[in-house]
Amino acid sequence: MEKEEKIIELIGVEKIFDGEQAVENMNLYVRKGEFITILGPSGCGKSTTLRMIAGFEMPDSGKILLNGKDITNVPPYERPINTVFQRYALFPHLNVYDNIAFGLKLKKFRNTYKTSDGKIVTKTEKLSKDVIDAKVSRVLKLVDLEEFEKRDVTTLSGGQQQRIAIARAIVNEPEILLLDEPLGALDLKMRKDMQLELKEMHKKLGITFIYVTHDQEEALTMSDTIVVMKDGTIQQIGTPKDIYNEPKNAFVADFIGESNIFSGTMVGKTKVRFINKVFDCVDDFPLNEKVDVVVRPEDVFLVDEGKGQVDGVIISSIFKGVHYEMTFVVGKTEIVIQDTMERKVGERCSVIIKPDDIHIMAKEFDCNRYDGYITKKNTVCFADGEFACDVTQLYEGSHLDEEGYLITADCEKIDLTDVDVSVEVGLKDIEIIDNDVDGDACGTIIQIVYKGDHYQIIIRTDKEEEDFVVDTEYTWNENDRVSVKIPADKIKLKLKAVTK
């Protein structure tokens, strides 16, 4: 990219609040005239990034460049940047015209005159009423509110008030317009209408829009470029199509649109095993590497039982207007499917997933995750094993009575037998035993990788072919038969959401 095409550039920008890193090593540029959206969940640092571009927050380190010039410490009022906020921030005592003209009436500029005796005189002047009228009329036309000049802003709808807030921001002719979740206070229909209006307004104005939202649909609908953030860092930058079709990690895949995300293992060249079946794919990863497998709901095809790759049963079906959203179960694994043809609840059928629709990405290991269920003994079964655990963590403030029933903080009595749970176990919380009988689950070591100061070992169980990933300082051999033990207090449990 040519340097002059970059209107804003952030280089190594960081921001810390109360010892917590809000934005970490942010490197980002925005092209002139681009509509770029910073997308992410609450607390990911997107609004902080916007406020640093506006000048409302100063970075703790790094630089912010505007047209190649360092503006890191330039105050907001000296930046050719205006901001539109979620809550409009209109003046209730002023009408539409005066709200839009407010900044213009305060604006001053320096004008140079030549006196009759030949001297050059510079005066600080305000804009004339005619100039202000012309500018206000122009932006009212842009936001389709030409005849609303004298209206009381409190009598306008939410969408109209938001357009007035945008008109007030663009009347000063900024080079960049920042929009901080501006549609968050609108109802669903108005929000969808305003998305299209903003996109059209961007085309008319030709200025740079930097938009912040947590709404994936807004980002996909309006943006030229999307920046996905998580925990203060950029996860992926790309066009809406690239972000949706080629997510770089499981977080992006899950956050942008709906996704089925499975734990998988590469079992050959462009072959991946998940949901107890080997599928052909187009991505190539090292043999036996644990990966995340992403399949979009619209890319799973239902066929009659026995005619697909994996058989299962439909356990829910919801009509969504343009398609049915169905939940298909293979063993304990749920697959969300979107199809225009409905399969009834209880119907046994099969699925086909094409290689091009299987997206493989490196798994970011921080713990082992499994689907499990609670037994009558209040133990948990997962990964071909049965383990002691603390079931009271499933309900805050709960305890077990003498009969083994769970009593909640509200004194409700619950039998946890066969309740489905999500299980997490840390990589360092698993003990490997050098035989296959003394542990709670057994298997074979299929991979050993030295990580510099420890070994990372993968143990694959016999029946379900589930994997335990273990960080250990001790050496082992591939193909060793071993078993594992996990302390009860190291097994983290959560109730799985009930599918309706």
Side-chain angles (χ1 to χ4, degrees), residues 201-465:
M201 207 179 297
H202 173 254
K203 289 180 182 176
K204 289 179 183 176
L205 290 167
I207 63 175
T208 305
F209 277 29
I210 304 178
Y211 193 95
V212 158
T213 185
H214 62 272
D215 188 307
Q216 303 94 320
E217 184 182 344
E218 282 184 10
L220 292 169
T221 299
M222 298 187 293
S223 314
D224 300 320
T225 302
I226 298 175
V227 180
V228 184
M229 288 187 67
K230 174 193 175 188
D231 297 334
T233 61
I234 294 174
Q235 301 294 303
Q236 187 171 353
I237 302 174
T239 66
K241 188 174 180 180
D242 288 342
I243 294 282
Y244 186 85
N245 291 330
E246 297 294 336
K248 289 210 172 164
N249 57 41
F251 172 81
V252 175
D254 188 47
F255 197 75
I256 300 288
E258 296 184 61
S259 293
N260 295 291
I261 302 178
F262 309 102
S263 289
T265 306
M266 300 303 296
V267 294
K269 185 173 179 62
T270 64
K271 290 186 181 295
V272 60
R273 183 181 180 87
F274 64 100
I275 58 172
N276 296 326
K277 172 74 178 179
V278 175
F279 291 82
D280 291 324
C281 59
V282 295
D283 300 310
D284 193 18
F285 279 71
L287 183 66
N288 290 323
E289 181 160 340
K290 293 285 286 180
V291 293
D292 283 320
V293 181
V294 174
V295 183
R296 297 290 187 184
E298 65 269 23
D299 293 331
V300 184
F301 299 96
L302 284 167
V303 294
D304 292 338
E305 186 176 16
K307 295 185 177 180
Q309 295 158 306
V310 183
D311 293 336
V313 62
I314 300 292
I315 64 166
S316 78
S317 177
I318 301 171
F319 183 57
K320 293 276 190 168
V322 294
H323 63 256
Y324 292 91
E325 186 167 284
M326 294 164 281
T327 303
F328 177 85
V329 172
V330 180
K332 288 271 185 183
T333 303
E334 295 183 355
I335 305 173
V336 177
I337 301 170
Q338 293 174 352
D339 200 327
T340 55
M341 299 293 292
E342 183 186 21
R343 298 271 179 161
K344 299 296 184 182
V345 173
E347 185 176 348
R348 293 199 60 81
C349 44
S350 189
V351 295
I352 293 175
I353 307 175
K354 298 176 182 177
D356 286 350
D357 295 327
I358 296 173
H359 306 285
I360 309 296
M361 51 200 65
K363 181 181 281 293
E364 297 179 8
F365 267 121
D366 55 358
C367 68
N368 294 276
R369 294 180 175 86
Y370 308 96
D371 293 327
Y373 65 91
I374 304 300
T375 71
K376 190 172 183 63
K377 298 178 289 183
N378 287 323
T379 56
V380 60
C381 286
F382 64 91
D384 277 358
E386 182 179 343
F387 301 84
C389 63
D390 176 14
V391 294
T392 63
Q393 63 187 289
L394 294 171
Y395 291 86
E396 188 175 356
S398 65
H399 66 276
L400 294 174
D401 67 8
E402 293 180 356
E403 297 177 316
Y405 290 100
L406 186 136
I407 309 300
T408 70
D410 296 328
C411 298
E412 181 184 359
K413 188 175 185 178
I414 298 177
D415 182 358
L416 293 173
T417 305
D418 291 331
V419 167
D420 291 331
V421 292
S422 298
V423 183
E424 291 189 359
V425 181
L427 306 185
K428 297 180 180 179
D429 296 330
I430 301 173
E431 178 188 357
I432 304 175
I433 299 171
D434 62 358
N435 62 67
D436 59 4
V437 295
D438 292 335
D440 297 312
C442 63
T444 302
I445 293 178
I446 63 162
Q447 181 175 297
I448 302 170
V449 177
Y450 185 58
K451 294 284 189 173
D453 60 352
H454 68 277
Y455 296 92
Q456 189 166 93
I457 295 174
I458 299 178
I459 302 164
R460 181 162 298 161
T461 64
D462 298 328
K463 294 180 183 178
E464 298 293 331
E465 294 191 346

